[in-house]
Amino acid sequence: QVQLVESGGGLVQPGGSLRLSCAASGIIVSINVMGWYRQAPGKERELVAVIPSVGSTNYADSVKGRFTISRDNANNTVYLQMNSLKPEDTAVYYCSGGRYLGNYWGQGTRVTVSS
């Protein structure tokens, strides 16, 4: 049984930072594609960052230079470091992965950027 459990969300002021974690079980993050999506109120879910099993990471234009996706193979965990946060980054953030993005999903963690 595959489980993806996100954590690390919360309330942060504009310009602040957060690090989201996605702890995986039943799936090995190093040999699967993993990614972070987000869904803001009233908007469609969008892909934020991807880390493939081989190759380069990719980011949505809106977060390039501010967000970094990484993985810790020893702990089977994927991270999303978010810096210089803006109010428009407010959303529920979801971890996803598998043979293809979207195979498995976490329950989401809420990020609110507000003063």
Side-chain angles (χ1 to χ4, degrees), residues 8-52:
L11 173 64
V12 62
Q13 292 187 342
S17 298
L18 283 176
R19 189 178 78 157
L20 306 184
S21 300
C22 172
S25 59
I27 183 176
I28 301 172
V29 299
S30 63
I31 62 172
N32 286 276
V33 60
M34 303 297 296
W36 287 93
Y37 288 76
R38 68 185 181 187
Q39 187 166 19
K43 295 188 177 181
E44 294 187 354
R45 191 172 297 189
E46 64 171 343
L47 180 61
V48 173
V50 180
I51 184 166

Side-chain angles (χ1 to χ4, degrees), residues 85-102:
L85 282 161
K86 304 175 181 179
E88 51 263 43
D89 295 318
T90 294
V92 177
Y93 285 72
Y94 298 90
C95 177
S96 179
R99 184 176 180 183
Y100 306 102
L101 282 178

